[in-house]
Amino acid sequence: MQMSFDKPEEIEDTVKGKYLIFTIQNEEYALEIRVVDEILEMQPISEVPNLPAYIKGIINLRGDIIPVMDLRLRFYKEFREYDSRTAIIVVNIASTRLGLVADRANKVIFIEDSELIKPPEIKESDYNRFVTAICKTENKIKLVLDCEKILTDHERTELPSF
Amino acid sequence: MSETGTGKDQFLDLFVFETNQLLEQIEKIIINCEKTKSFREDDVNEIFRFMHTTKSSAAMMGYLSLSELAHSLEDLFALLRNNKNRSYDFHNFFTLTLAGVDAIKSFVSELENGTQPLESTNKLKEQIGLYIQELSSVDRLEPKVTKSKESMKLDDNTGNLPQYDLNVFFNDCGQSENIRSHLLAHTLKKYTTELITYPKELLKPGNSETIRKHGLHLLFNPSVLLSEIEEIVKSTVLLNRYTLEETAKIKDLQKRLESTYVQSMASLEQPKNAGASMHSDIMAVRVDKMDMLFNLVGEITISEAMVTKGHDLNALRADQFRRESERLSKLVKNLQDIVIEMRMVPLEHVFQKMNRTIISLADTLGKEISLEVYGETTEVDKKITEYLTDPLTHLIRNAADHGIEEKEERKRLGKPPKGIITLSANRVAGEVWVSVEDDGRGIDLQHIYSTAKEKGLVTKPFEEHSEKELFSYLLMPGFTTKEKVTELSGRGVGLDVVRENIARISGAVQIESKVGMGTKITLKIPLTLSIMGAMQVVIGKSVFSIPINMMKETIIPKDVKIVHHIDGNEIVMLRGQCYPVIRPEQQLGISGYEAISDGILILVEGHENSACLFVDKIVGQGQIVVKPLPAYIEKTKGCFSSCTVLGDGTISLIIDIKQLLNEF
């Protein structure tokens, strides 16, 4: 009979290894739960002039004014009209709160570190720099995103997207 | 995540905060002592306790030199405490105490700034040590009797006793006798020396009763003709009757008055006790918690409005719901009022610092200056007090340095030898007016003009200037009329920086002056930065807010003449003045109506220029809560630095008019 004890490290960090899976243009992406504050339904976004196109504007979240970024536009994909199931994923990185728009927010799954594979070294395409790893679970490929890069990386390589 | 560093930081924060609190109180006591030139028993005990506390907490934090300094001061005051009947030289004690407190203050502020404090308190410690030795070695049998409390108060600089007693009675002023008395005493101060009033604390409301019964007594020595003083008294408003007698038996009179005005003596003691209990009535709350509370309450207000005034209910009767939602509305309004009040702090803290400044200024300049403070209980938003300290310090420096004349000059001019700088604050509509007034030289308008001319700042002859315009030269960068730059002021950067600091909190600076009589500079600042009056306008699809204090008027296009320039710019002619039109597409990046005739023009006024902003329509007006835009989109802010949430939950960007006019 084998008794399995929870390894001490696992008890400590209950969010480690958990990822939020969401969809953009039929591709699945993953974000560490650690940086996700909450998930909101789509709501009216107030425009702010002179912002980059991928920042749609700001919303009022219980008194906190939060900017909202459309990930499709951020990843240089085609814009898609928002519907009732479009989600705003509120992330929190280094005290900066930001809302990310995704087509659908799906579920939370557990991904072992060993399942994460470094992304292939393909030509520096536009949004590859946001992807830190790839993982294949349940027969679908999920791209694990580097949230900090999404926030801070403002360089644009003038390349046609694939 | 907490690292080991934050533990120490927490203790440091607490140490700095608590020591600063104590320092504030001690400074108050010391300044009072300076005025009366004596240390009362309570003062001695209080100072001793402070030094004792500081000694221990500094030692605990590992600041040994600070602890030792506090220790030597503690010893000094222990000496006082244990030998109550000894006489002592006030001046020495005071100087050492002041130096000690200053050293502690600068040590703590170095800690606050994160710099290593200089461990240079050794010299001071030595001085104190030597002094203590000196005092302890003198024979205890010294027969010199300490001046009693009362006689200490009689003495002032010249050491004379007042020779005249003025007893004044007022007509029924409906409880304002104390204010009338105060005004009279204030006026007479300029023409007398050694002025003592009974009751002592005139502004205490309880004293109106006493004054009605016994009248107001003023003991003084006139510094002008006695008849002139009588004239002033006679012209006092609501005067009923008065008697003016010369009196030789001053001490007897004083004894009599003291017992008559026993009430006022008791009230003198009260503040001390009130001060003691104040220690426990105050709580320290972290600012970020307050901000969160403020935010949430704002949200509750909006949410409540949306629930109770929702359209869904219009058709239903729902009587009880309406009753209860009215109650809810009232409660929420109360809550909001309280939260706003919580952020208000009395100006007292800021004014306290000025007291301290004056003492060292007067010393450095070798002038005699006293600082009178009024309205220190007036409250403003905490954030604003942080913007006030520097400008006020500079204004007071100016007044002391440039305004107040040297003692001899004042004597020649017939002014009392002690210059008076008055610092006052009061609420006017939605603003607080803080003014610094001196009874010194005043500002020579001709002199301003010629200096401005030298610097090439004038555009028209002297006669065509209004007083306001002439004074405004003073507020320009690089302006100074003083021939020699002194260490304190006169570098010409001062008033301009004051104006800018005040403009940053949406305030204004007003200068009034009369040559030979004095100068009064008033800072007009809004009560709070987080709430302001604004008008909501629509441009294109969105609602924007324009601060009312930047708006001059709204103009209907068909009422005015609009001129089109060749380069595409438009100009509005209004009452003989020309104003450029600002089109939102160009300056703000938002498109609204095309033709000016379809929309509305809003005349906005900045510090240097004005313009007409073209908007589609005006949809509302009222008080709004200002929220900053997230830092993340800071780089692209442009003319929008903040926003507000409207009653229906939508966000309205606030147009930064100053920025808009700058970029235009």
Side-chain angles (χ1 to χ4, degrees), chain B residues 18 77 119 156 209 236 262 313 321 354 400 432 435 483 489:
Chain B
E18 282 179 350
F77 277 84
E119 312 274 300
D156 81 341
E209 184 65 43
T236 306
V262 144
L313 305 166
F321 176 79
M354 304 302 141
V432 170
S435 44
E483 297 76 39
S489 51

Side-chain angles (χ1 to χ4, degrees), chain B residues 83-97:
Chain B
N83 302 308
K84 292 189 199 136
N85 293 322
R86 280 220 40 201
S87 71
Y88 49 84
D89 178 358
F90 177 80
H91 185 76
N92 266 345
F93 249 95
F94 182 72
T95 317
L96 282 176
T97 312

